[in-house]
Amino acid sequence: MSALQKYKYNNLLVNTKDYVMIAVGLMIYAVGFTACILPHKVVMGGLTGVGTLVYFATDGAISVAVTSYACNLLLLAMAYKVVGRTFVLRTIYSATVIALSLGIFENFFMGIGHPLIPDRVVSIVLGGICCGIGVGTCFIHNGSTGGTDIVAAMVSKVSNVSIGRTIIYVDMTIVCCSIFLPFEGTWEQRIETRIPTIVYGIMVSFIGSFMADQIINTNRQATQFFIFSEKWKEIADRINNEARRGVTVIDGMGWYFKHDMKILMVCCRKIESVTIFRIVKQIDEHAFVTQGAVNGVYGNGFDRMKIRIKTAHPDAHPQPEHPSEAHPENQQNQLPG
């Protein structure tokens, strides 16, 4: 088997494993939602929450799977230019898998006629854990569940509101909309009945997010790699072309043998670190790699520097806003993106 054939085989194997694990993760999510959350009439965040609102508003006539899938396709069509072709294709696959899973498990667990776990709190916590595990499994295998992430990506392109904050705003709005579900009684009775449900919806959303973070082992920090390899050119090209991340080549010297060498420095999101490791291992299994968490990564592909610069009069001498800014040694250096 030639090197090219071996590379294609390994790449196919990795992609197949990714798609299988994405499907497994989304099925875990679907089981957790339909078995533990939906029977207790709790509305969580995301497009699944929108589907839950429609499901109970229509008295079960429109499935959660149908609503969430239709909304996903609509959002992807609107955001195609923003999120890109690869994101759209992976999200369509994930949306299809989760829609099928929700449809199958919804009919099964809702057909029982009573919640599988009678205790509401225990059921909600277990459902949130399952949903978080499912989403985390999907993310670490380069999958995407779409949903409110698409809305956040579109908003971040036209405003300074961060993606995480946008997702929280949208999810909390969806959860709070459960107060408008059909209810026989006065507004006082409606509020008294729905407030606990809203609290449970917020709780399950945060439990799911926390568990997803634990699975993907990230808190939205970035990761910095230093890669030492004789095949540095191939690694740098693959990282540029496949991971879509910039690479900085640094001249170095190994002091033991006094040999000149090239060092690759790469900054990426933690969720992308698996891709970097795969590229390095496929090219050079004996490469020396260091990985570290970094904060404050700004520039293309990362966060924006949200600092206002005051415009001073041309004749005026600039004055520091804070005493510590008068001394360069007190200023912190920021890593370029």
Side-chain angles (χ1 to χ4, degrees):
M1 183 182 292
S2 66
L4 180 60
Q5 289 176 327
K6 185 178 180 181
Y7 164 72
K8 288 182 177 180
Y9 173 77
N10 290 335
N11 200 35
L12 177 63
L13 195 65
V14 168
N15 285 332
T16 302
K17 180 183 175 182
D18 280 342
Y19 281 108
V20 170
M21 292 307 299
I22 288 171
V24 170
L26 294 176
M27 282 190 284
I28 294 173
Y29 175 94
V31 169
F33 171 74
T34 55
C36 302
I37 299 172
L38 189 62
H40 289 283
K41 299 184 178 180
V42 173
V43 178
M44 59 187 292
L47 292 186
T48 306
V50 175
T52 307
L53 290 172
V54 175
Y55 178 82
F56 288 119
T58 59
D59 198 22
I62 301 178
S63 170
V64 176
V66 172
T67 303
S68 61
Y69 191 61
C71 290
N72 250 325
L73 294 182
L74 180 62
L75 287 174
L76 285 172
M78 294 170 59
Y80 181 81
K81 293 183 179 180
V82 175
V83 298
R85 180 173 176 269
T86 303
F87 179 87
V88 168
L89 292 178
R90 282 187 178 266
T91 305
I92 289 176
Y93 169 76
S94 300
T96 303
V97 171
I98 198 169
L100 292 173
S101 302
L102 286 173
I104 294 171
F105 293 122
E106 177 187 312
N107 290 332
F108 177 77
F109 289 110
M110 294 302 288
I112 296 176
H114 59 84
L116 192 65
I117 302 175
D119 190 292
R120 199 177 196 186
V121 176
V122 174
S123 185
I124 292 301
V125 172
L126 182 59
I129 292 173
C130 290
C131 289
I133 292 174
V135 171
T137 303
C138 178
F139 282 168
I140 63 175
H141 289 279
N142 299 317
S144 170
T145 56
T148 51
D149 292 352
I150 305 172
V151 178
M154 290 189 291
V155 171
S156 66
K157 289 291 183 180
V158 297
S159 70
N160 287 328
V161 181
S162 67
I163 291 178
R165 188 180 300 177
T166 304
I167 292 174
I168 291 174
Y169 290 161
V170 175
D171 285 351
M172 292 305 100
T173 301
I174 293 170
V175 172
C176 291
C177 282
S178 62
I179 200 170
F180 300 110
L181 288 175
F183 183 83
E184 295 180 0
T186 64
W187 263 101
E188 289 77 10
Q189 293 173 329
R190 176 192 292 266
I191 292 173
E192 185 179 353
T193 304
R194 295 295 185 199
I195 289 299
T197 304
I198 292 174
V199 172
Y200 285 129
I202 294 172
M203 184 175 74
V204 74
S205 296
F206 275 95
I207 291 173
S209 298
F210 176 77
M211 284 303 302
D213 281 345
Q214 296 304 306
I215 294 296
I216 63 179
N217 193 26
T218 180
N219 55 357
R220 294 193 178 276
Q221 288 181 331
T223 297
Q224 185 180 70
F225 286 93
F226 284 102
I227 304 169
F228 303 77
S229 172
E230 294 181 356
K231 301 179 181 179
W232 59 273
K233 288 184 179 180
E234 298 174 50
I235 295 174
D237 288 339
R238 289 275 300 278
I239 292 174
N240 275 159
N241 297 330
E242 296 181 21
R244 299 295 182 183
R245 284 298 179 187
V247 181
T248 301
V249 182
I250 304 171
D251 291 321
M253 175 183 286
W255 193 246
Y256 188 81
F257 291 107
K258 307 298 188 295
H259 288 167
D260 292 333
M261 64 176 62
K262 298 293 184 181
I263 305 167
L264 304 182
M265 186 187 77
V266 183
C267 287
C268 67
R269 298 290 185 190
K270 274 192 175 181
I271 197 172
E272 299 168 325
S273 59
V274 176
T275 303
I276 304 296
F277 275 120
R278 283 176 177 171
I279 291 172
V280 175
K281 186 176 180 181
Q282 287 175 357
I283 297 175
D284 185 3
E285 291 187 358
H286 304 290
F288 185 81
V289 182
T290 66
Q291 177 188 12
V294 293
N295 292 315
V297 181
Y298 302 97
N300 289 336
F302 293 94
D303 300 323
R304 294 182 181 179
M305 290 185 286
K306 299 174 183 178
I307 300 175
R308 290 185 178 181
I309 301 177
K310 292 186 176 181
T311 55
H313 192 275
D315 297 330
H317 295 287
Q319 298 294 329
E321 295 182 4
H322 190 274
S324 64
E325 295 181 5
H327 302 284
E329 63 270 16
N330 292 334
Q331 297 179 4
Q332 293 182 348
N333 294 325
Q334 293 179 337
L335 182 68

